[in-house]
Amino acid sequence: MKIALAQLNYHIGNFDSNTAKIIEAINTARQNGADLVVFAELCLSGYPARDFLEFKEFIGLCEQSAQQIAAACEGIACIIGTPTPNKYKSKGGKDLHNSAYFIADGKVQQVVNKALLPNYDVFDEYRYFEPETEFQCVEYKGRRIALTICEDLWNTIENPLYITRPMDKLIEQKPDVMINIAASPFAYNHDEERIAILGNNAKRYKLPLFYVNHIGAQTEIIFDGGSLVFGSDGNLVDELPYFEEKLAYYTLNDDATVTPAQPATLMPERQSDIEQIYQGLILGIRDYFYKSGFKQAILGLSGGIDSAVVCALAAEALGAENVMAVLLPSKYSTSHSITDAEDLIKNLGCKTETVEIKNITDAFETALHPQFDGLPFNIAEENLQARSRAVVLMAMCNKFGYILLNTSNKSEAAVGYGTLYGDMCGGISVLGDVYKTQVYQLAKFINRNSEIIPENSIVKPPSAELRPDQKDSDSLPDYDTLDTILVEYIEKRLSSAEIIQSGYDETTVRRVIKLVNTAEHKRYQTPPILRVSPKAFGMGRRMPIVGKYLS
Amino acid sequence: MKIALAQLNYHIGNFDSNTAKIIEAINTARQNGADLVVFAELCLSGYPARDFLEFKEFIGLCEQSAQQIAAACEGIACIIGTPTPNKYKSKGGKDLHNSAYFIADGKVQQVVNKALLPNYDVFDEYRYFEPETEFQCVEYKGRRIALTICEDLWNTIENPLYITRPMDKLIEQKPDVMINIAASPFAYNHDEERIAILGNNAKRYKLPLFYVNHIGAQTEIIFDGGSLVFGSDGNLVDELPYFEEKLAYYTLNDDATVTPAQPATLMPERQSDIEQIYQGLILGIRDYFYKSGFKQAILGLSGGIDSAVVCALAAEALGAENVMAVLLPSKYSTSHSITDAEDLIKNLGCKTETVEIKNITDAFETALHPQFDGLPFNIAEENLQARSRAVVLMAMCNKFGYILLNTSNKSEAAVGYGTLYGDMCGGISVLGDVYKTQVYQLAKFINRNSEIIPENSIVKPPSAELRPDQKDSDSLPDYDTLDTILVEYIEKRLSSAEIIQSGYDETTVRRVIKLVNTAEHKRYQTPPILRVSPKAFGMGRRMPIVGKYLS
């Protein structure tokens, strides 16, 4: 049997484009002699469709797409993912299942529903779907297929999140092969985990395994592809490319071995975290603009490392000609900041404008003079600068149709080192899931072939330049220390006592955690953040705003 | 048996204050001869504690509080709600249960776990908790208590959301009484639904029912109390007050009738939606400030109805002396706007300042002249005004420690009729779940005894005053039509075809729905919105930002 894996980039709610893309892949696969082409989980709707799933009209359009695809399936079978009405609804439960359709001979032959519904981090599947409790293999061309959906194969033995394991039921029916359709978001450590967990499944059940993932970004959630094929010994037969679409073919031989029809694209070695983050962010920016119907990005360029990295990423993702980098110097801006920014623009070839903000902040201070007279310069005046810049950038968005890229990094977002409605503005946050120490690594990666980010932006001490001679280190621990504490608290959810015990200074730890906790109200209002780590701010981390935090 | 119901206002994560409050109520109940005092669901942690529940330290502190409370339970029993480790974890599943402790003689006698976990709208319980599958009544002083937690009694017969009904299991053990501890958020129609569903349970199982709810606001989620006591005929015996704390006593007689120890506080008639919304918003503002440790609010007063209503609500919630109303006239502000705002300030007695923004917007336009030269006045210049006002207000927050109140209403938030980083700023949105037509009703309710909101703010045509002679009706349908379409789309999730079919103009419907859909990116960055309806923007409505919307 010849099986095609279709690793495609879908667009949530765009039924015309998703359906056309799927039918095109079916036609190509048929021309290439495939018996079966496999698409990803919920490919008709895109993932995650969120509360679109609560609209009956939306579910109806998914079914319409499925029927169009079925009609195109003459002489070939396919597997697609789509939401379907809960078949047990008369007994109660949620309205929907997260389903796979097995389609052959122009119609839906069998419906398989997901049993294990992820409902943690960015996942909300139990909000919409009723879990399946009965399991039946799919018969096709003399083969018995154990078809499962993503998390169904993810109930790890060490710390099972669910009380059932669908494959333990399906294996009783003596299947010949496992197929898993997935929507498994990118995080820089996720490829290795995926290969390990899926390989263990192949080995445990002694079956070849075909696994198809999405690629493409859906606002903050990025899918990296990397669809996988395993032999029944658990060894990797093939690994589809990361961050790009691909249609690949395999022969499932009678002895249950698998032969790729094209040269296997197994990675010779794992990509570094930073290279993966780089590619994920490029895809995240590109799809955010493309799927929103926008082309042109704008950002404020300070001469510092964060905006320089965002500018370089945007130029790569959108083309330098579609990036407007605006210099917004104030009286506290240093001359090296301006020259560093200019050097970057020269290296990238993007568009640029300069708007001085001194007269604007003066106008605010004059207008507020009756209220502020006699009071010392403080954070109010500092923030006036950041907010004046944001107003200028947003005015340019409104006038010319740009989308503003936010340039805050995860370390700043964590400790609230940023101005709400100032540098925290933007349509999408590019680095909000990238710690400052990783931003430096990204800069070096970007410069791997030639200097794009000016060396001076990398080596100079970071500063917000909102008052004379300001340095980040005036108010924050050094970033190596800060980032390690943040990972312990945010990613690992350790208590201050545990972090202190592992060797960090008590005062620093308590101060950092307090800063993180008191910035919840700021993070609530930040733009969506491209997610590249296993624990990003946003939908994946839901903390109370008004609450008494431990510290 | 004498049963006390403790309807209290908890603070998420504030173990000291929650525990002290619970122990104080236990001591008072003991002095008043109670055998058992019942507290609300997850009262130790506060509700919703969200991802606090993923911190082991947090769960440990819940257990510490429970042990302190147990030690105080000599000569009296109590029921408290707390998260506990999943007792089935060796079989797999989530880490926690949502539990009730039955405490007597100084220790936890029995643990009851929630079976039905709400995971819709604002609820995320399946993110943290494993559902219970086994059920056991609590024996105490010769009575058998069917103890359940909130949603466990909420599986309505018409459209059951779950496949089990815990009371159907518990009734087999022949209990004498039902007790339900809850965290049931306020919505203006929720009190009647609660009475109907719980009364049906009492009648169906022929048992008296004691139901204890939270009161108090947790950022956007407001709890209204209204704890309930039913006879075994399903008739309401008592209804605790709404929006206030209360400790009330009842005798459960040997014949299963229930006698209140104090005069029953049954509502003579249901409060109007608007009166409930009014009280909910007052509590929401008050608790947001109190629980955040802030006292002073600031807002921009335009002379229009929305900011007038927010100002009046804030003055009622915080005291007029804690409200700073700032007039921020531009060259497009009409003279009646200024006098209307001044009349309101006089009526309320709150603090006021005036900051002219003309020189500020001029400074922006001058700075942007090289870029904007020759281009027509458009939304860029309109938004400059809204954003300049926000920067002034935020500067005053930073200088004086105010929290900015957002004054956008739900109709505006729905159609994106507001400026991101302008009038969409604030720490909390007071009216973001109140449609414009309801804002007018609120104004009339506020004026029920005497004119507080100037009549002119109520009767004049609404305008953003961002260009000469602008009216809301230039760009939006009249608010009666708009709000009805919005309810059909947002609350009822109908399709445009269904809404058109019910008699609305096709062009208008399609335009409104398109406006709603294209404003998702704006709503993502708005402040938390005090929730007073069954479907508020925010955590309860999760739509993709980048997606192709139907229209």
Side-chain angles (χ1 to χ4, degrees):
Chain A
M1 181 154 66
K2 193 165 179 187
I3 298 175
L5 304 188
Q7 172 176 296
L8 302 179
N9 189 342
Y10 304 99
H11 182 187
I12 293 170
N14 195 335
F15 294 102
D16 290 345
S17 117
N18 295 343
T19 305
K21 191 173 266 205
I22 289 166
I23 291 175
E24 191 192 335
I26 290 170
N27 291 337
T28 308
R30 188 197 292 105
Q31 283 161 20
N32 285 298
D35 299 295
L36 169 66
V37 51
V38 185
F39 299 91
E41 180 183 10
L42 293 174
C43 57
L44 302 196
S45 54
Y47 191 100
R50 302 199 194 278
D51 287 1
F52 269 147
L53 295 168
E54 297 185 347
F55 286 76
K56 281 203 186 106
E57 184 185 21
F58 190 87
I59 304 303
L61 288 164
C62 289
E63 185 57 27
Q64 258 184 43
S65 298
Q67 295 308 325
Q68 286 169 38
I69 291 162
C73 264
E74 290 295 345
I76 188 167
C78 83
I79 293 169
I80 53 173
T82 186
T84 63
N86 175 1
K87 65 177 174 177
Y88 306 111
K89 186 66 196 173
S90 63
K91 295 188 201 165
K94 299 281 182 179
D95 286 337
L96 301 172
H97 292 298
N98 179 342
S99 304
Y101 276 175
F102 180 81
I103 296 175
D105 297 330
K107 62 177 195 173
V108 179
Q109 304 288 345
Q110 194 167 329
V111 183
V112 166
N113 301 320
K114 192 173 186 176
L116 309 188
L117 300 169
N119 210 78
Y120 52 79
D121 194 65
V122 297
F123 297 107
D124 277 323
E125 290 198 22
Y126 201 77
R127 187 171 168 93
Y128 314 104
F129 301 120
E130 186 67 17
E132 181 56 273
T133 53
E134 291 176 14
F135 303 96
Q136 185 62 50
C137 286
V138 172
E139 306 276 344
Y140 179 59
K141 298 216 165 181
R143 307 292 180 114
R144 191 168 287 170
I145 302 167
L147 172 57
T148 56
I149 303 174
C150 202
E151 198 86 345
D152 287 342
L153 282 191
W154 210 262
N155 207 13
T156 56
I157 291 140
E158 301 69 34
N159 178 29
L161 257 177
Y162 309 92
I163 57 174
T164 55
R165 194 177 290 127
M167 262 316 293
D168 284 357
K169 305 284 176 189
L170 286 165
I171 197 71
E172 294 169 4
Q173 299 169 25
K174 301 196 187 309
D176 302 300
V177 58
M178 295 188 284
I179 294 179
N180 183 271
I181 66 170
S184 175
F186 167 64
Y188 58 76
N189 62 346
H190 208 48
D191 55 335
E192 288 172 287
E193 195 183 354
R194 228 182 260 148
I195 291 170
I197 288 179
L198 295 168
N200 280 341
N201 271 288
K203 198 170 162 185
R204 177 184 172 89
Y205 298 107
K206 300 190 180 63
L207 291 175
L209 167 57
F210 294 86
Y211 163 88
V212 179
N213 196 14
H214 289 241
I215 85 119
Q218 309 290 358
T219 315
E220 65 273 66
I221 298 183
I222 300 163
F223 294 95
D224 57 346
S227 300
L228 299 166
V229 181
F230 294 89
S232 56
D233 53 3
N235 287 331
L236 202 52
V237 172
D238 203 1
E239 180 178 11
L240 267 58
Y242 289 80
F243 305 107
E244 55 182 89
E245 293 192 321
K246 177 83 179 182
L247 189 58
Y249 301 89
Y250 304 87
T251 302
L252 173 62
N253 303 306
D254 290 341
D255 62 356
T257 58
V258 181
T259 318
Q262 58 284 308
T265 53
L266 283 165
M267 307 273 284
E269 55 186 59
R270 304 313 311 162
Q271 279 186 317
S272 70
D273 292 352
I274 287 301
E275 186 168 357
Q276 290 185 56
I277 291 172
Y278 174 83
Q279 293 191 350
L281 296 177
I282 297 289
L283 179 59
I285 296 169
R286 190 176 286 153
D287 272 10
Y288 179 81
F289 278 78
Y290 174 72
K291 293 179 182 176
S292 314
F294 281 80
K295 275 197 168 172
Q296 305 256 330
I298 192 171
L299 77 163
L301 210 59
S302 70
I305 186 82
D306 300 312
S307 58
V309 166
V310 171
C311 195
L313 292 168
E316 178 67 26
L318 305 173
E321 70 282 11
N322 290 315
V323 178
M324 166 61 79
V326 186
L327 276 66
L328 298 143
S330 77
K331 54 188 163 189
Y332 304 117
S333 298
T334 54
S335 60
H336 65 73
S337 289
I338 296 167
T339 55
D340 291 343
E342 287 168 346
D343 287 347
L344 176 76
I345 289 161
K346 205 162 47 188
N347 295 345
L348 290 171
C350 58
K351 296 185 289 185
T352 186
E353 294 282 348
T354 298
V355 181
E356 303 262 356
I357 63 161
K358 186 187 172 302
N359 291 340
I360 298 168
T361 52
D362 284 352
F364 276 115
E365 290 181 21
T366 305
L368 282 161
H369 185 74
Q371 286 78 31
F372 286 8
D373 189 25
L375 296 171
F377 177 101
N378 75 347
I379 196 172
E381 286 80 7
E382 286 187 35
N383 285 345
L384 274 179
Q385 300 164 61
R387 292 190 176 118
S388 295
R389 291 185 173 117
V391 174
V392 167
L393 291 166
M394 290 304 298
M396 292 183 71
C397 287
N398 288 146
K399 195 59 103 188
F400 302 109
Y402 297 116
I403 290 182
L404 175 61
L405 293 176
N406 174 283
T407 62
S408 305
N409 62 59
K410 189 174 188 176
S411 311
E412 290 171 349
V415 297
Y417 197 75
T419 303
L420 197 52
Y421 321 129
D423 53 301
M424 292 177 75
C425 289
I428 188 97
S429 162
V430 177
L431 297 178
D433 196 28
V434 182
Y435 288 110
K436 185 79 171 189
T437 45
Q438 294 175 309
V439 176
Y440 284 106
Q441 294 173 46
L442 266 179
K444 286 178 193 155
F445 182 81
I446 290 165
N447 284 359
R448 64 197 178 284
N449 298 321
S450 61
E451 183 171 304
I452 291 170
I453 316 269
E455 185 63 15
N456 195 42
S457 293
I458 301 179
V459 298
K460 70 185 174 186
S463 165
E465 298 191 342
L466 296 175
R467 57 174 183 266
D469 301 321
Q470 188 180 26
K471 302 270 175 298
D472 290 9
S473 55
D474 301 343
S475 19
L476 297 175
D478 69 273
Y479 280 111
D480 282 331
T481 307
L482 177 65
D483 287 357
T484 324
I485 296 171
L486 291 174
V487 168
E488 304 276 295
Y489 184 61
I490 293 161
E491 266 84 339
K492 301 188 188 164
R493 278 155 281 186
L494 297 182
S495 65
S496 52
E498 289 168 303
I499 301 172
I500 292 161
Q501 208 163 25
S502 66
Y504 291 91
D505 171 61
E506 171 161 355
T507 313
T508 308
V509 170
R510 293 202 189 282
R511 204 171 126 249
V512 168
I513 292 185
K514 190 172 179 184
L515 288 170
V516 175
N517 295 339
T518 48
E520 285 305 337
H521 69 285
K522 286 188 175 182
R523 280 191 296 272
Y524 187 93
Q525 296 188 43
T526 42
I529 292 169
L530 292 178
R531 179 185 182 273
V532 296
S533 85
K535 185 53 76 182
F537 294 123
M539 282 299 283
R541 187 174 185 273
R542 306 179 188 171
M543 298 297 284
I545 297 178
V546 177
K548 187 165 186 298
Y549 281 78
L550 320 170
S551 60
Chain B
M1 181 155 65
K2 193 165 179 185
I3 297 176
L5 303 189
Q7 172 177 295
L8 302 179
N9 189 342
Y10 305 98
H11 181 189
I12 293 171
N14 196 334
F15 294 102
D16 289 345
S17 116
N18 294 344
T19 305
K21 192 173 264 205
I22 289 167
I23 291 176
E24 191 191 335
I26 290 171
N27 291 336
T28 308
R30 188 196 293 107
Q31 282 161 22
N32 285 299
D35 298 296
L36 170 64
V37 51
V38 185
F39 299 90
E41 180 182 10
L42 292 175
C43 57
L44 302 197
S45 54
Y47 191 100
R50 301 198 196 279
D51 288 0
F52 269 151
L53 295 168
E54 298 186 346
F55 285 77
K56 283 205 184 103
E57 182 184 20
F58 190 87
I59 304 303
L61 288 164
C62 290
E63 185 57 27
Q64 259 182 41
S65 298
Q67 294 308 325
Q68 286 168 36
I69 290 163
C73 264
E74 289 296 344
I76 189 168
C78 84
I79 293 168
I80 53 173
T82 187
T84 63
N86 175 3
K87 65 177 174 177
Y88 306 112
K89 185 64 197 176
S90 63
K91 295 188 202 165
K94 299 283 185 178
D95 285 337
L96 300 172
H97 292 298
N98 178 343
S99 305
Y101 276 175
F102 181 80
I103 295 174
D105 298 329
K107 62 178 195 175
V108 178
Q109 303 288 342
Q110 194 166 329
V111 183
V112 166
N113 301 321
K114 193 173 186 176
L116 308 189
L117 300 170
N119 211 75
Y120 52 80
D121 195 67
V122 296
F123 297 107
D124 278 324
E125 290 198 21
Y126 202 75
R127 187 171 168 91
Y128 314 104
F129 300 120
E130 186 68 16
E132 181 56 272
T133 51
E134 292 175 13
F135 303 97
Q136 185 62 49
C137 287
V138 173
E139 307 276 344
Y140 179 59
K141 295 213 167 184
R143 307 293 180 110
R144 192 168 287 171
I145 303 167
L147 173 58
T148 56
I149 303 174
C150 202
E151 198 88 347
D152 286 342
L153 282 191
W154 210 261
N155 207 13
T156 58
I157 292 141
E158 302 69 32
N159 178 28
L161 256 177
Y162 309 91
I163 57 174
T164 55
R165 195 177 288 124
M167 262 315 293
D168 284 358
K169 303 285 176 184
L170 286 164
I171 197 71
E172 294 169 3
Q173 299 170 24
K174 302 197 187 306
D176 302 301
V177 59
M178 292 188 284
I179 295 179
N180 183 271
I181 66 171
S184 176
F186 168 64
Y188 59 75
N189 63 346
H190 208 47
D191 55 334
E192 287 170 290
E193 195 183 355
R194 227 181 261 148
I195 291 169
I197 287 180
L198 293 169
N200 280 341
N201 271 288
K203 199 171 163 184
R204 176 184 171 88
Y205 298 107
K206 301 190 179 66
L207 290 175
L209 166 57
F210 294 87
Y211 164 88
V212 180
N213 195 12
H214 289 241
I215 84 119
Q218 309 289 0
T219 315
E220 66 272 66
I221 298 183
I222 300 164
F223 294 94
D224 58 345
S227 300
L228 299 166
V229 181
F230 294 89
S232 56
D233 52 4
N235 286 331
L236 201 51
V237 171
D238 203 1
E239 180 178 12
L240 266 58
Y242 288 81
F243 305 107
E244 56 183 89
E245 293 192 319
K246 177 82 178 183
L247 189 58
Y249 300 89
Y250 303 88
T251 301
L252 174 63
N253 302 307
D254 290 340
D255 63 356
T257 58
V258 180
T259 318
Q262 59 284 309
T265 51
L266 283 165
M267 307 273 285
E269 55 185 56
R270 304 312 312 164
Q271 281 186 317
S272 70
D273 291 353
I274 287 300
E275 186 168 355
Q276 290 184 56
I277 291 172
Y278 174 82
Q279 294 192 350
L281 295 177
I282 297 289
L283 179 60
I285 297 170
R286 191 175 286 153
D287 271 9
Y288 178 80
F289 278 78
Y290 175 72
K291 293 179 183 175
S292 314
F294 281 79
K295 275 196 167 170
Q296 306 255 331
I298 192 170
L299 76 164
L301 210 59
S302 71
I305 186 80
D306 300 312
S307 57
V309 166
V310 172
C311 195
L313 292 168
E316 178 66 26
L318 306 173
E321 71 282 9
N322 291 314
V323 177
M324 166 61 79
V326 186
L327 276 67
L328 298 142
S330 77
K331 54 190 164 190
Y332 304 117
S333 298
T334 55
S335 61
H336 66 73
S337 286
I338 295 166
T339 55
D340 292 344
E342 287 168 345
D343 287 349
L344 176 75
I345 289 161
K346 206 160 49 186
N347 294 346
L348 290 171
C350 58
K351 295 184 289 184
T352 187
E353 295 282 348
T354 298
V355 180
E356 304 263 357
I357 64 160
K358 187 188 172 301
N359 292 340
I360 297 168
T361 51
D362 284 352
F364 276 114
E365 290 180 20
T366 306
L368 282 160
H369 185 75
Q371 286 78 31
F372 286 9
D373 189 25
L375 297 171
F377 177 102
N378 77 346
I379 195 172
E381 286 80 5
E382 286 187 37
N383 285 345
L384 273 180
Q385 300 164 62
R387 292 190 176 118
S388 296
R389 291 185 173 117
V391 175
V392 168
L393 292 166
M394 289 305 296
M396 292 183 71
C397 288
N398 287 146
K399 197 58 108 186
F400 302 111
Y402 297 115
I403 290 182
L404 176 60
L405 293 176
N406 174 282
T407 63
S408 304
N409 62 59
K410 189 174 187 175
S411 311
E412 290 170 350
V415 296
Y417 196 74
T419 303
L420 198 52
Y421 322 127
D423 52 303
M424 292 177 76
C425 290
I428 188 99
S429 162
V430 177
L431 298 178
D433 196 29
V434 182
Y435 287 111
K436 185 79 171 188
T437 46
Q438 294 174 310
V439 175
Y440 284 107
Q441 295 173 47
L442 264 179
K444 287 179 192 152
F445 181 81
I446 290 165
N447 284 357
R448 66 200 177 283
N449 298 321
S450 61
E451 182 171 304
I452 290 170
I453 315 269
E455 187 62 16
N456 195 43
S457 292
I458 301 178
V459 298
K460 68 184 175 189
S463 166
E465 297 192 342
L466 296 176
R467 57 176 181 262
D469 301 322
Q470 186 180 28
K471 300 270 176 298
D472 289 10
S473 55
D474 301 343
S475 18
L476 297 175
D478 70 90
Y479 280 111
D480 282 330
T481 306
L482 177 65
D483 287 357
T484 325
I485 296 172
L486 291 174
V487 168
E488 304 275 295
Y489 184 60
I490 293 162
E491 266 84 339
K492 301 187 188 164
R493 278 155 280 187
L494 297 182
S495 66
S496 53
E498 289 168 303
I499 301 171
I500 292 160
Q501 207 164 27
S502 65
Y504 291 91
D505 172 61
E506 173 162 355
T507 314
T508 309
V509 170
R510 293 201 190 281
R511 204 171 125 251
V512 168
I513 292 184
K514 190 170 179 186
L515 287 171
V516 174
N517 296 338
T518 47
E520 287 304 336
H521 69 285
K522 286 188 175 183
R523 280 192 295 274
Y524 187 92
Q525 297 189 43
T526 45
I529 292 169
L530 292 176
R531 178 185 182 273
V532 298
S533 86
K535 187 52 75 181
F537 294 124
M539 281 300 282
R541 189 174 184 274
R542 304 178 189 172
M543 298 297 282
I545 297 177
V546 177
K548 187 165 187 298
Y549 281 78
L550 321 170
S551 58

